[in-house]
Amino acid sequence: MKRKISVWLCIIIFVITCVSCGNYEVTEMPMKKEEENIVQAGKKVGVLMPTREVERWEDDAENIRKALEIEGYEVIVEFAENNPYTQITQMEDMLKKGVECMVVVVVDSEIQRETLEKIWKKNIDIIAYDRLIMNTEAVSYYATFDNQSIGVAMGTYIKEHGKLDEVRMKDEHKTIEFFMGDANDNNAFVIYQGIMEVLGEYLEDGTLICKSMETEFADISTRDWSRVFAKKEAARILESYCEDDSLDIACCANDTIAYGIIDALNECGYTQENWPLVTGQDAEIEAVKNIINGKQSMTLYKDTRVLADKCATMVKAVLEGTIPEINNEDEYNNGNFKVKSYLCTPIVVDKDNYREILIDSGYYGEEELK
Ligand code: BGC
C-alpha cells in the first residue's frame, strides 16, 4: 500500500512539474507577429465612409483596410452615399455582425447621434476619421488632417499669389467669391474659419471685394460638397460679373467644388486671359490635371496612407486596451468635450511642386496625370 502511495505521489509531482514548466515556457516565449495576429483574428472593425463620389474616400477605405488586415483584424467597409440614414443602417448591421470598433466619417452628427450613442453604450469604440463627430460623448479618438491649417493655407495662398499686400498699397482691389463645404460637416466650418483668419482683414479694408456679399458661412456652404450644386451656385453668382470686372479669385473648399466652379467659368466664357485663381483640397487626379493645364491654381495634398496608418494604430490601441499616440488635446472640441486627436499635416500643391510632392513620392504615377 505504502509503495502504491509513493508511486502515485511521484506521478503527481512529475505531472505538476511538467505542467508548471510548460506554463513557464509558454509565458516567457515572445510571440511571433503571425501568432499575435491570430489572436487578433476574429476581432471585427467597421469602417464607415461617407461617399464614393469624392475620390479620396475609396483610397482612405482601402488604406485603412490594408493597415488593419496586416494586424489580423477582419474589416467591413461601407459607403453611405452622403445619406445619414444609410449610414445609420450600416452601423446597425455592423453591430449585429459583432464589430468591436467603428471608424466613422460621419455624414450628419445630429441625425446619427442616437445611433452613435447606442453603439457607444455597448462598449464599442468609435474613432472619428477625418470629420469630428459633434455634440456627443460617443467618440474615443479623432484622426484627421488639421482643418484649421487647411483653411489658413488656402487663405495664405490667395494672399501671396493674389499679391494682396501690393494691391492694398496701390489702393486697388480684387474680386473674390467663396464656395465652402457642407454645413453638416464640421470640417467645412473649421476650414472657413482658417480662411477668414487670413483674408478677413483684406475684406474689411476693401482690398478684396465680394460682389455677391455672401461671406457668412451659412450663405456659402455647398450641400454634400457637390460639383453640381457648386456649379449652380457659381453660375448664379457669375451673372453679376461683367467683362471688365471679372472674378479674380474663386475660393473653393475642395476639389469637387472647384470642378463645379470650373464648369461654370467655362460656360460663362472665361478664358486664359481672365481665368481666376481657383483653390481646392484633396489633390485628386482631375484636380492635379487641372493644375497642370492652368484651370485650378492649387490644392491641398492629404496623404491618405499616413492618415489611415494613424487611424489603424488608434484602433489597435483601443482594442488592446492601451493608449494611442495623439498630438493634440486642445483644439478639437466637439461641443461636449475636447477630443484627443492626431492631426496630420497637409501640403500645398501647385504647378511648381506637384511633380516633386505627388509623383516623386509615388502617390501618383506620371501616366495617371496625363
Ligand atoms: C474632407 C475633404 C473632402 C470633403 C468631401 C471633408 O470632410 O475633409 O477632404 O473633400 O469632406 O467629401
Side-chain angles (χ1 to χ4, degrees):
M1 184 66 182
K2 262 191 181 166
R3 216 174 139 235
K4 262 195 185 166
I5 289 173
S6 52
V7 168
W8 273 112
L9 259 175
C10 282
I11 292 173
I12 288 165
I13 288 165
F14 179 69
V15 169
I16 288 171
T17 315
C18 285
V19 167
S20 55
C21 280
N23 274 345
Y24 182 74
E25 269 180 30
V26 169
T27 46
E28 277 301 291
M29 273 241 290
M31 261 197 209
K32 284 195 204 140
K33 187 84 183 153
E34 309 90 76
E35 286 168 347
E36 272 178 30
N37 291 350
I38 290 165
V39 176
Q40 298 302 336
K43 286 203 175 177
K44 292 182 190 157
V45 180
V47 177
L48 295 117
M49 290 287 147
T51 176
R52 285 181 199 273
E53 238 173 75
V54 175
E55 199 178 279
R56 65 161 291 190
W57 300 122
E58 293 201 72
D59 295 339
D60 285 276
E62 230 7 70
N63 291 331
I64 298 174
R65 181 201 291 284
K66 272 191 226 149
L68 289 175
E69 281 180 353
I70 289 173
E71 296 296 338
Y73 297 109
E74 192 182 320
V75 183
I76 307 170
V77 177
E78 294 289 359
F79 292 83
E81 304 321 330
N82 282 326
N83 185 334
Y85 298 100
T86 305
Q87 200 166 64
I88 287 175
T89 310
Q90 292 168 340
M91 288 177 144
E92 303 272 8
D93 284 350
M94 286 185 183
L95 199 58
K96 284 186 205 137
K97 286 180 184 154
V99 305
E100 290 178 55
C101 176
M102 290 192 196
V103 174
V104 185
V105 185
V106 75
V107 177
D108 189 323
S109 297
E110 189 72 31
I111 294 176
Q112 292 172 236
R113 184 174 313 126
E114 213 181 298
T115 313
L116 285 157
E117 289 179 356
K118 184 172 106 184
I119 289 165
W120 181 254
K121 284 187 185 130
K122 292 188 188 296
N123 278 332
I124 291 162
D125 276 290
I126 297 174
I127 311 276
Y129 185 84
D130 194 90
R131 296 180 183 168
L132 188 53
I133 300 171
M134 301 302 290
N135 302 318
T136 178
E137 52 166 356
V139 198
S140 312
Y141 293 98
Y142 180 35
T144 190
F145 279 89
D146 186 357
N147 287 291
Q148 169 78 8
S149 77
I150 288 175
V152 169
M154 275 182 198
T156 307
Y157 193 93
I158 290 172
K159 175 182 156 179
E160 286 171 2
H161 291 256
K163 302 197 168 64
L164 296 189
D165 288 330
E166 271 177 47
V167 173
R168 176 190 267 164
M169 294 259 285
K170 290 188 199 153
D171 220 5
E172 291 173 351
H173 75 266
K174 288 211 166 181
T175 54
I176 187 165
E177 294 293 340
F178 297 91
F179 305 93
M180 297 293 103
D182 189 301
N184 292 323
D185 179 348
N186 183 58
N187 289 353
F189 185 65
V190 178
I191 291 169
Y192 166 77
Q193 282 180 314
I195 293 169
M196 287 305 171
E197 197 180 301
V198 183
L199 299 186
E201 57 171 294
Y202 298 97
L203 284 162
E204 267 163 37
D205 71 5
T207 307
L208 284 175
I209 291 182
C210 178
K211 275 197 170 185
S212 70
M213 301 208 305
E214 294 174 11
T215 55
E216 291 301 316
F217 180 70
D219 299 327
I220 52 181
S221 60
T222 310
R223 193 174 134 198
D224 292 345
W225 302 75
S226 140
R227 177 180 193 151
V228 176
F229 291 126
K231 179 184 170 189
K232 229 167 135 187
E233 196 52 17
R236 178 183 69 80
I237 285 174
L238 287 174
E239 275 176 16
S240 61
Y241 284 83
C242 51
E243 245 169 55
D244 30 318
D245 203 6
S246 55
L247 178 63
D248 298 317
I249 301 160
C251 180
C252 308
N254 82 339
D255 290 342
T256 40
I257 292 176
Y259 307 151
I261 275 61
I262 291 170
D263 293 342
L265 288 166
N266 277 328
E267 279 184 16
C268 234
Y270 275 73
T271 62
Q272 234 181 340
E273 308 307 312
N274 62 352
W275 198 266
L277 186 161
V278 177
T279 64
Q281 172 195 186
D282 288 340
E284 291 194 349
I285 291 181
E286 186 173 343
V288 184
K289 285 183 180 170
N290 285 340
I291 287 176
I292 296 168
N293 68 31
K295 298 255 158 166
Q296 189 170 322
S297 314
M298 61 85 77
T299 186
L300 278 142
Y301 167 54
K302 300 165 37 175
D303 189 338
T304 53
R305 298 168 298 189
V306 173
L307 187 58
D309 275 349
K310 275 293 156 213
C311 171
T313 60
M314 283 181 175
V315 171
K316 193 166 183 254
V318 294
L319 288 179
E320 289 177 355
T322 59
I323 295 171
E325 186 193 357
I326 52 156
N327 63 5
N328 195 291
E329 297 197 43
D330 294 321
E331 273 166 58
Y332 283 84
N333 190 323
N334 79 341
N336 258 40
F337 72 110
K338 288 178 178 170
V339 183
K340 292 194 168 85
S341 312
Y342 194 98
L343 309 182
C344 301
T345 310
I347 301 173
V348 172
V349 167
D350 67 3
K351 64 176 178 346
D352 295 332
N353 69 353
Y354 79 90
R355 187 169 287 282
E356 175 198 339
I357 305 288
L358 300 174
I359 301 178
D360 297 352
S361 73
Y363 196 69
Y364 291 134
E366 183 113 44
E367 283 305 306
E368 287 176 280
L369 301 177
K370 282 193 175 146

